Amino acid sequence: MTVRNLDILFKPRSVAVIGASRRTQSVGATVLHNMLHGGYTGMIYPVNPKYDRLAGQKNYRSIAALPEAPDLAVICTPPATIPGLIAELGRRGTRSAVVLTAGLARDKDAPERALQAAMLAAAKPHLLRILGPNSVGMLVPGIGLNASFAHTNALPGKLAFLSQSGALTTAMLDWARTKGIGFSHFVSLGDLADIDFGDMLDYLANDAGTSAILLYIESIRDARKFMSAARAASRNKPVVVVKSGRGPETAHAVASHTGALTAGDDVYDAAFRRAGMLRANTLEELFSAAEMLARLKPLAGEGLGIMANGGGPGLLATDALVLGGGRLAAFETSTLARIDTLLPASLARANPVDIGGDASADRFSGVLEALSQDPNTGAVLLIHAPSALLDSDALAQTLAPIIRNARRNVFTNWLGGEAAETARRISREAGALTFDTPERAVQAFQAAVDYRRNQQMLMEVPPSVAQSFVPDIAAVRKLVEQALFDGREALGEPEAMAVLSAYDIPVVETRVAQTPEQVAELAQAIGFPVVVKLISPDLTHKSDVGGVVLDIRSQAQASMAARQIVERVRLHRPGARVVGFSVQRMAESESGFELILGMATDPVFGPVILFGQGGVAVEAIGDRAIGLPPLNLTLARELVSRARISKLLAGYRHWPAADHEAIYLTLVKLSQLVCDVPEIAELDINPLRADAHGVLALDARIVVRPAPAPGQARLAIRPYPKQLESRLESNGQTIVFRPIRPEDTQAYNDLFSSMTAEDVHFRYFGLIRSLSRSQLARTTQIDYDRAMSFVAMAPGDVPGTERMLGIAQAIVDPDNFCAEYAITVRSDLQGKGLGRILTTKMIDYCRQRGTAEMVVYILADNRRMLTLARHLGFGETESEGDGVLRLTLRLQH
């Protein structure tokens, strides 16, 4: 279950407070007081077996005594009573409850967990949704609902705030009220027994009264559900998150507090980025970021133009920008020429622009207009220091029309205290993003840049198979199964190299010897110089025992190196087995870079991909970036850009740039391996040597274990489902039926362009001339866990291209109950059976995934579509008004 009955939870017509009390400062008394004095106009029923009246209200001694089944029950009774109360409420017809009681499941090993399980079992037959337990409650200020034991009420507004911490919930409620911040929903999620972050994101994403969603997260349980919901919500509105547990000590405390395993902070960071969310570091930043994103225009770029009436403030802003990883805009020559006509000769023409302490309103206006029209400038930061020569309020009034009409975002910093408040208000009302200090303005700009990047990543839904290579999956499975059969977790280096080679990752030539004499013979055959390495199932890191000898240039040196390796193993690890030696040609590149590519299995998000600077000191260097598979080339490029070594890979001085495309493609291939083989638990390619000519894996380590979940279920993001592809030979032409991919954008646009005006009207219920970029992206870049689009593709006119003949689309609700269906077929191909094939394929798919029903909306005069739908079993026709019919197909019995 996800959003089922959440409407009832947040819009109840009646509320029962079970455990209501007259005992001062008790939870039951506080909840009843809040319900009666928050402005809620629905029915309120106190329930307590001891009283006839409470707080001037009629009290009911039991649930059975209530005059009706309440939409919502707020429960604040002892833990042992909860399962029975939930069962009784469910039988009575209640469909939502807030359980404030703590102690049901704090410790995963505690006997109280049985109470939580019993509570959920009692709720399940009735689809009764539970918020909590161990919740402070929830507030919906728009309807005056305060179903909590918070000490104050919330102001109405358009922000939704979700918190996993009860103490933080009440603290933030108090803080927000003093700041005048209002909310559409203010929710304490508690122990997340039923309703979790994924459910709430799904619900709030489609709530018209919510403009942005703010989260305080300690841990995530269902990673795939969270990622799907977060990505869907982020497409609709800003989602900003604060995550606690950033350090290892704090992370341990969080795990013991929430009873859930906590992923590493860098993995959470990668997940938030991939979901299109913005991460804030503090709660104050959380609300500032939400306000900023709500007012932000789309950024035109990532370079910031800075102007100030003084050198010092401009330099402070520049320092904050550069040290924070941002960059100054490089102004166009024409922009510099315009500035030149406005500034006195004594001032430099550069970014940041010092317009002088004696700057007039005209000079401010002219420079601001020039910067806001510069094509290389993503946004403008205007800094004003108080001056006796120019009234700040009057200046703000002069600049307001420019700010209002600017094509760029304008960030302003009016330095000073109360004297600058009016200028700040005028700027804010004109559309500027206004901050108290230059540093905070720059932080906000960088947050906007991060959000822009995350939104771009959100539009990437990569295929699980890179089109440029065909992996030998069978060879890899054979190696993995043999290792598991032998009871080994670690593959030998030659086996690991064979796995990489099967996925077309270039590897250094490697041969295996059992004796020092064979080492010498193989070294001669390979050609000097060579590297000799230890093969031992008992030693993970060969270099720790001197198990790697480099730059061997003769047979004598080769056999001696093998003998010395054996001696060092006996000295340092006498119990370790030596089963042989690998002999490799030594890669001699004076201009190469040593990288590490790898994967690990996170306890929450499953497989994660690592990239960074490699070598023996990889842990000490600590240069790494984390991403979630599956990856495509765009996502791989972004992953590489976040590692410090990426700056070196671009080349410097006499050192040539590395082959970036080869690095990106290797990451994609590694991601594909992770998606295909769930038994791989850990993998290191260290080092992967990268230079101007490509990449070469010099060493690899792979750990395998029985698969924790079937197929791709362990992945937080479902990759392209290649298994759903099929082919049909028709009139000498091969038509491929497959799920849509992101690279189908142009083909889909061409399909739309081929449609007649009548077909466009039938499909989109109106006449539209073209599809927007967002419409194209939403159609071609889908979450395969939430939606499916099957396309029919034929070879295009240009070799190597494809032409889209038709597309069948189904969007499934979060409960997997109803799939809304639509279909488009090229106008010149209609009536030839293509629509029937696509629709049948979609019906079979939805039925297999357990979807209860499909619905399709058809204009009453679209006779061809009505005939097709009815022929395939769509019935139960209902009129939706305006000539639109709703047809339903039941899929499950």
Side-chain angles (χ1 to χ4, degrees):
M1 294 187 295
T2 49
V3 299
R4 190 75 58 83
N5 290 332
L6 292 192
D7 260 339
I8 297 174
L9 173 70
F10 293 112
K11 301 172 185 175
R13 293 168 300 174
S14 58
V15 180
V17 181
I18 301 176
S21 174
R22 62 176 54 158
R23 183 162 49 87
T24 305
Q25 295 184 332
S26 67
V27 172
T30 305
V31 173
L32 183 58
H33 176 273
N34 287 344
M35 284 295 308
L36 293 172
H37 296 87
Y40 177 66
T41 58
M43 296 302 298
I44 301 172
Y45 302 121
V47 179
N48 190 308
K50 300 178 182 178
Y51 310 109
D52 292 323
R53 297 188 67 82
L54 277 171
Q57 298 283 112
K58 175 177 171 56
N59 175 71
Y60 299 85
R61 292 182 178 268
S62 67
I63 293 170
L66 291 171
E68 63 173 329
D71 282 349
L72 170 65
V74 184
I75 305 176
C76 36
T77 59
T81 67
I82 303 300
L85 290 171
I86 291 293
E88 188 175 358
L89 286 164
R91 289 192 297 269
R92 187 74 198 274
T94 299
R95 293 295 174 259
S96 64
V98 178
V99 179
L100 307 180
T101 309
L104 271 75
R106 178 64 61 84
D107 187 335
K108 68 178 182 179
D109 297 320
E112 288 85 355
R113 179 161 290 272
L115 289 174
Q116 177 167 297
M119 175 188 73
L120 294 175
K124 186 175 181 179
H126 312 287
L127 297 178
L128 191 156
R129 304 309 305 277
I130 296 173
L131 179 67
N134 191 29
S135 168
V136 170
M138 65 172 192
L139 299 91
V140 186
I143 61 172
L145 178 65
N146 184 349
S148 78
F149 60 92
H151 65 294
T152 186
N153 223 325
L155 299 173
K158 295 183 75 67
L159 297 179
F161 180 71
L162 313 176
S163 174
Q164 217 168 336
S165 165
L168 191 62
T169 300
T170 54
M172 290 310 300
L173 191 61
D174 191 62
W175 180 86
R177 192 172 181 86
T178 62
K179 297 284 186 179
I181 298 172
F183 299 93
S184 64
H185 300 77
F186 200 98
V187 183
S188 166
L189 291 171
D191 287 339
L192 307 168
D194 174 23
I195 297 171
D196 60 13
F197 283 107
D199 300 332
M200 290 301 304
L201 286 167
D202 276 328
Y203 177 79
L204 294 169
N206 297 303
D207 179 61
T210 299
S211 62
I213 304 170
L214 315 182
L215 311 176
Y216 169 77
I217 293 177
E218 293 176 352
S219 63
I220 297 296
R221 285 187 172 90
D222 188 333
R224 180 173 284 190
K225 176 182 174 183
F226 173 80
M227 290 299 293
S228 289
R231 293 167 72 198
S234 294
R235 288 179 185 270
N236 290 339
K237 58 195 66 173
V239 182
V240 190
V241 57
V242 166
K243 165 70 174 65
S244 62
R246 304 196 69 148
E249 295 83 4
T250 312
H252 176 75
V254 166
S256 62
H257 178 64
T258 61
L261 291 171
T262 303
D265 188 68
D266 48 1
V267 180
Y268 270 99
D269 204 51
F272 297 151
R273 185 181 297 109
R274 184 70 174 271
M277 305 160 81
L278 177 63
R279 184 171 187 176
N281 294 319
T282 66
L283 291 165
E284 189 170 3
E285 281 184 24
L286 183 76
F287 288 97
S288 296
E291 181 184 8
M292 182 266 293
L293 292 177
R295 299 165 58 85
L296 190 73
K297 303 173 187 175
L299 284 185
E302 297 186 359
L304 180 64
I306 301 175
M307 57 177 290
N309 62 335
L315 291 175
L316 285 174
T318 302
D319 286 345
L321 179 70
V322 175
L323 294 175
R327 62 181 179 84
L328 291 166
F331 297 145
E332 284 275 308
T333 303
S334 58
T335 303
L336 293 172
R338 287 181 65 182
I339 295 173
D340 190 55
T341 64
L342 300 167
L343 299 184
S346 59
L347 296 176
R349 279 71 172 154
N351 193 7
V353 182
D354 180 1
I355 65 173
D358 61 345
S360 64
D362 288 343
R363 192 185 299 172
F364 265 101
S365 300
V367 174
L368 177 59
E369 283 187 326
L371 299 192
S372 64
Q373 294 170 8
D374 182 78
N376 295 338
T377 301
V380 180
L381 170 57
L382 181 150
I383 305 174
H384 174 265
S387 168
L389 303 178
L390 183 63
D391 179 70
S392 59
D393 296 353
L395 175 61
Q397 292 283 9
T398 301
L399 298 179
I402 301 173
I403 294 171
R404 192 173 293 112
N405 298 319
R407 291 182 291 177
R408 302 287 187 271
N409 288 285
V410 177
F411 292 71
T412 64
N413 165 222
W414 299 87
L415 291 166
E418 293 181 2
E421 280 302 320
T422 301
R424 292 178 185 133
R425 178 184 56 78
I426 295 169
S427 296
R428 191 178 297 110
E429 291 174 351
L433 298 145
T434 302
F435 300 89
D436 297 338
T437 67
E439 293 83 359
R440 290 190 64 181
V442 167
Q443 288 172 0
F445 171 73
Q446 278 303 104
V449 169
D450 290 343
Y451 183 70
R452 177 178 185 257
R453 291 174 181 169
N454 294 354
Q455 286 289 301
Q456 290 172 340
M457 283 186 63
L458 177 64
M459 306 306 282
E460 294 294 332
V461 184
S464 67
V465 175
Q467 300 304 300
S468 56
F469 80 104
V470 178
D472 188 350
I473 301 176
V476 175
R477 294 223 58 86
K478 185 176 180 181
L479 287 167
V480 170
E481 289 169 2
Q482 185 62 53
L484 292 174
F485 180 80
D486 295 340
R488 293 184 288 122
E489 281 198 341
L491 299 186
E493 185 188 4
E495 292 174 306
M497 290 297 205
V499 168
L500 300 184
S501 184
Y503 272 73
D504 199 32
I505 296 174
V507 299
V508 67
E509 181 183 357
T510 302
R511 300 190 188 181
V512 178
Q514 271 70 48
T515 66
E517 292 73 23
Q518 289 179 350
V519 168
E521 294 173 3
L522 289 178
Q524 180 68 34
I526 291 173
F528 298 104
V530 299
V531 179
V532 175
K533 299 178 182 178
L534 165 70
I535 299 176
S536 171
D538 305 316
L539 297 171
T540 302
H541 299 291
K542 300 178 285 290
S543 57
D544 291 349
V545 293
V548 179
V549 181
L550 306 174
D551 200 23
I552 296 171
R553 296 182 177 270
S554 70
Q555 283 186 294
Q557 287 182 357
S559 60
M560 179 61 70
R563 292 186 178 93
Q564 290 174 340
I565 287 173
V566 173
E567 291 175 2
R568 285 192 288 269
V569 171
R570 288 172 178 168
L571 177 63
H572 299 291
R573 293 288 299 276
R577 291 166 289 172
V578 177
V579 299
F581 309 90
S582 63
V583 185
Q584 300 173 339
R585 183 186 301 278
M586 185 167 175
E588 294 186 290
S589 174
E590 296 181 356
S591 59
F593 301 90
E594 287 194 337
L595 308 175
I596 180 170
L597 276 66
M599 70 81 59
T601 302
D602 182 78
V604 174
F605 290 95
V608 296
I609 303 294
L610 175 145
F611 172 83
Q613 183 173 349
V616 176
V618 62
E619 288 88 0
I621 295 170
D623 176 24
R624 64 174 187 172
I626 300 291
L628 299 184
L631 299 178
N632 62 7
L633 290 174
T634 303
L635 294 168
R637 183 180 297 110
E638 191 278 337
L639 177 61
V640 170
S641 72
R642 287 190 279 113
R644 295 194 302 272
I645 197 172
S646 63
K647 297 178 181 178
L648 299 180
L649 295 175
Y652 59 97
R653 295 183 181 174
H654 65 283
W655 213 276
D659 182 346
H660 284 71
E661 292 302 313
I663 298 172
Y664 305 150
L665 186 56
T666 303
L667 279 166
V668 172
K669 293 172 179 177
L670 174 59
S671 167
Q672 183 59 46
L673 172 61
V674 170
C675 292
D676 288 343
V677 188
E679 291 83 3
I680 295 180
E682 297 177 29
L683 185 152
D684 288 341
I685 306 174
N686 182 30
L688 178 82
R689 180 171 288 276
D691 59 23
H693 306 291
V695 298
L696 187 67
L698 304 184
D699 201 352
R701 180 178 69 93
I702 296 177
V703 173
V704 295
R705 300 188 184 103
Q712 298 169 344
R714 65 179 186 150
L715 298 170
I717 300 174
R718 185 183 178 189
Y720 172 78
K722 185 175 175 60
Q723 71 275 11
L724 298 178
E725 293 181 354
S726 61
R727 295 173 181 269
L728 174 69
E729 298 295 330
S730 176
N731 298 323
Q733 184 183 55
T734 300
I735 300 177
V736 176
F737 295 91
R738 60 167 172 78
I740 200 165
R741 295 195 296 246
E743 56 265 36
D744 294 328
T745 300
Q746 186 58 51
Y748 178 64
N749 200 33
D750 292 343
L751 171 64
F752 175 83
S753 300
S754 75
M755 297 169 65
T756 65
E758 181 182 51
D759 285 344
V760 170
H761 173 69
F762 283 154
R763 171 62 182 86
Y764 298 99
F765 296 11
L767 292 177
I768 57 175
R769 297 183 180 276
S770 62
L771 297 173
S772 67
R773 181 178 179 275
S774 63
Q775 285 175 306
L776 289 168
R778 288 175 187 274
T779 301
T780 59
Q781 301 173 23
I782 63 174
D783 183 340
Y784 297 114
D785 235 28
R786 295 289 184 92
M788 182 51 66
S789 294
F790 288 116
V791 292
M793 307 295 290
D797 297 332
V798 178
T801 64
E802 290 183 298
R803 186 168 60 113
M804 189 178 293
L805 309 181
I807 176 173
Q809 301 163 274
I811 300 174
V812 185
D813 66 36
D815 298 306
N816 194 29
F817 179 80
C818 179
E820 184 176 332
Y821 177 68
I823 186 169
T824 305
V825 175
R826 285 181 63 96
S827 299
D828 57 348
L829 293 177
Q830 291 181 12
K832 299 183 179 181
L834 189 58
R836 179 186 176 89
I837 295 172
L838 284 167
T839 305
T840 302
K841 191 173 182 69
M842 185 62 76
I843 290 171
D844 292 343
Y845 170 79
C846 289
R847 182 173 283 127
Q848 185 177 17
R849 66 168 282 158
T851 308
E853 65 181 32
M854 288 175 64
V855 299
V856 60
Y857 295 88
I858 306 173
L859 289 173
D861 55 347
N862 188 355
R863 299 188 182 281
R864 181 174 288 173
M865 185 62 197
L866 284 169
T867 300
L868 173 64
R870 286 174 175 149
H871 186 74
L872 291 173
F874 284 84
E876 301 183 34
T877 306
E878 300 176 26
S879 174
E880 296 289 308
D882 296 325
V884 178
L885 301 178
R886 181 183 191 269
L887 281 71
T888 302
L889 173 65
R890 304 292 177 186
L891 300 176
Q892 310 295 333
H893 299 287

